[in-house]
């Protein structure tokens, strides 16, 4: 499994670098597994939170470069400021983190942005199972993934939580640093639905961008035509401009008028199964991964942190 890092083509970037030798591609990561934080998260969709919360593990690095990523401190880095995180041993420390989540009552193991680390995570899932950790594994990703990489997860992932950010190539290039995102994500989500045991086991997220409602309309139409009855939709309204990140991004929250328009489209496309976030206008919920608990105490309970 780890030989996939030797000439890495795990994601659509096809960097071809030898991560086993310490080289890095677009994601900025070698073959080592780095983690930024682990928390019991209470802000995910209701069935994922349950009564105990979602056992979230934030993987350092990412194969996208979203201009408004709320987790940019762990997902993105540069030559001056590398992404936050600590290397963990796959067979020991990763398993201990999973065990700690189980002991604190987590409903699942929620892997955030793990697309570039699939071989290491599969090894970690295997080791965790050997230690009797049987929590469902939740794959929380951007959907910027190849079908071949997803097939490596088939025996290990129980619930899929992909984004469908946009189906507009220009928006994908401008804000997500991946002009091929629409076609790639569409194929990846279709594969996830094929591998999913039931419609309740795949939740497709879409974040509405202020000023780009046509993009949302296209996504909703795609969902109605391709995923209705096969997956749940999670419509999100929490877009927040990250100060100093990208001045080209919309500099406002979603308006009440925008929100009502999108709700009307749900009726138009007869989309009934899923979740719709209440209108969120504010930035108090934004995480800070320099803190032991990156989120507010109302949203999460800290379990592990890269500084520890």
């Amino acid at each position: 499994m780890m030989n996939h890092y030797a000439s890495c083509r795990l994601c659509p970037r096809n960097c071809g670098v030898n991560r086993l030798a310490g080289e890095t591609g677009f994601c900025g990561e070698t073959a080592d597994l780095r983690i930024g934080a682990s928390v019991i998260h209470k802000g995910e969709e209701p069935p994922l939170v349950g009564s105990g919360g979602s056992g979230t593990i934030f993987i350092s690095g990412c194969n996208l470069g979203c201009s408004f990523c709320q987790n940019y401190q762990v997902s993105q880095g540069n030559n001056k400021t590398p992404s936050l995180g600590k290397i963990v041993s796959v067979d020991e420390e990763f398993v201990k983190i999973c065990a700690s989540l189980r002991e604190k009552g987590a409903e699942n193991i929620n892997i955030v942005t793990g697309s570039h680390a699939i071989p290491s995570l599969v090894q970690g899932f295997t080791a965790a199972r050997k230690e009797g950790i049987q929590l469902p594994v939740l794959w929380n990703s951007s959907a910027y993934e190849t079908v071949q990489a997803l097939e490596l997860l088939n025996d290990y992932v129980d619930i899929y939580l992909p984004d469908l950010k946009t189906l507009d190539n220009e928006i994908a290039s401008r804000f997500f640093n991946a002009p091929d995102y629409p076609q790639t994500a569409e194929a990846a989500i279709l594969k996830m639905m094929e591998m999913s045991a039931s419609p309740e086991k795949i939740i497709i997220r879409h974040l509405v961008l202020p000023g780009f409602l046509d993009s949302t309309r296209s996504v909703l139409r795609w969902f109605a035509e391709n995923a209705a009855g096969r997956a749940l939709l999670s419509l999100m309204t929490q877009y927040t401009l990250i100060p100093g990140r990208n001045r080209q991004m919309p500099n406002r929250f979603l308006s009440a008028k925008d929100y009502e328009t999108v709700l009307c489209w749900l009726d138009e496309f007869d989309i009934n199964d899923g979740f719709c976030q209440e209108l969120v206008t504010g930035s108090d919920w934004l995480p800070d991964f320099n803190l032991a608990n990156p989120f507010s105490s109302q949203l999460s309970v800290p379990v592990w942190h890269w500084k520890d």
Side-chain angles (χ1 to χ4, degrees):
M1 180 67 74
M2 300 297 281
N3 62 349
H4 286 281
Y5 290 133
S7 179
C8 189
R9 302 188 188 280
L10 282 168
C11 86
R13 302 284 180 186
N14 288 315
C15 296
V17 299
N18 186 354
R19 292 168 64 186
L20 290 171
E23 297 176 4
T24 60
F26 184 93
C27 68
E29 299 298 317
T30 67
D32 292 321
L33 179 64
R34 288 199 312 135
I35 296 176
S38 179
V39 304
I40 300 289
H41 203 306
K42 301 176 183 179
E44 306 284 44
E45 287 77 1
L48 306 180
V49 172
S51 59
S54 183
T56 311
I57 300 177
F58 293 89
I59 308 300
S60 297
C62 183
N63 64 349
L64 273 188
C66 301
S67 303
F68 53 92
C69 178
Q70 68 186 54
N71 301 331
Y72 72 92
Q73 292 167 305
V74 295
S75 66
Q76 301 175 18
N78 53 49
N79 292 332
K80 295 181 180 179
T81 308
S83 60
L84 303 180
K86 176 184 176 183
I87 295 174
V88 301
S89 57
V90 175
D91 295 326
E92 294 184 11
E93 289 177 89
F94 177 80
V95 175
K96 288 181 179 179
I97 293 172
C98 292
S100 296
L101 291 169
R102 179 186 60 183
E103 290 166 5
K104 290 186 178 294
E107 301 282 346
N108 46 59
I109 303 295
N110 181 348
I111 303 295
V112 182
T113 60
S115 305
H116 57 288
I118 287 176
S120 300
L121 290 167
V122 166
Q123 185 176 327
F125 298 150
T126 302
R129 285 181 178 179
K130 289 181 179 178
E131 293 299 319
I133 300 171
Q134 300 296 331
L135 290 176
V137 173
L138 169 60
W139 191 251
N140 186 340
S141 79
S142 68
Y144 192 56
E145 298 161 308
T146 67
V147 168
Q148 294 77 15
L150 288 172
E151 288 175 342
L152 300 176
L153 296 169
N154 196 25
D155 294 330
Y156 303 93
V157 170
D158 301 283
I159 306 166
Y160 293 93
L161 186 62
D163 293 333
L164 185 51
K165 296 177 182 293
T166 186
L167 293 172
D168 184 306
N169 296 92
E170 182 180 352
I171 290 175
S173 177
R174 182 178 176 186
F175 297 138
F176 306 127
N177 208 1
D180 62 335
Y181 175 86
Q183 296 79 13
T184 301
E186 181 180 356
I189 291 173
L190 289 173
K191 182 63 177 180
M192 291 178 192
M193 289 192 291
E194 176 188 318
M195 296 191 299
S196 180
S198 69
E200 291 75 24
K201 299 296 184 181
I202 175 166
I203 302 174
I204 301 173
R205 282 177 166 175
H206 174 70
L207 175 66
V208 183
L209 297 182
F212 296 93
L213 291 195
D214 286 345
S215 174
T216 289
R217 182 173 174 83
S218 296
V219 168
L220 295 181
R221 182 185 297 277
W222 185 93
F223 182 91
E225 294 176 351
N226 297 276
R230 304 176 63 190
L232 302 179
L233 176 71
S234 180
L235 195 63
M236 307 177 73
T237 64
Q238 64 186 40
Y239 168 80
T240 303
L241 181 65
I242 309 296
R245 294 293 295 166
N246 189 329
R247 294 180 180 178
Q248 294 182 348
M249 288 300 303
N251 61 357
R252 64 176 177 86
F253 298 111
L254 196 69
S255 70
K257 182 179 179 181
D258 291 342
Y259 186 60
E260 290 301 321
T261 297
V262 173
L263 293 183
C264 289
W265 288 343
L266 291 177
D267 290 335
E268 178 184 343
F269 292 119
D270 196 25
I271 299 174
N272 301 305
D273 296 330
F275 314 93
C276 185
Q277 192 176 40
E278 295 181 0
L279 186 60
V280 176
T281 56
S283 58
D284 293 342
W285 58 271
L286 286 174
D288 183 354
F289 287 91
N290 283 299
L291 304 177
N293 187 359
F295 300 88
S296 70
S297 58
Q298 293 179 332
L299 279 178
S300 74
V301 177
V303 173
W304 184 94
H305 190 260
W306 67 274
K307 287 184 177 181
D308 293 342

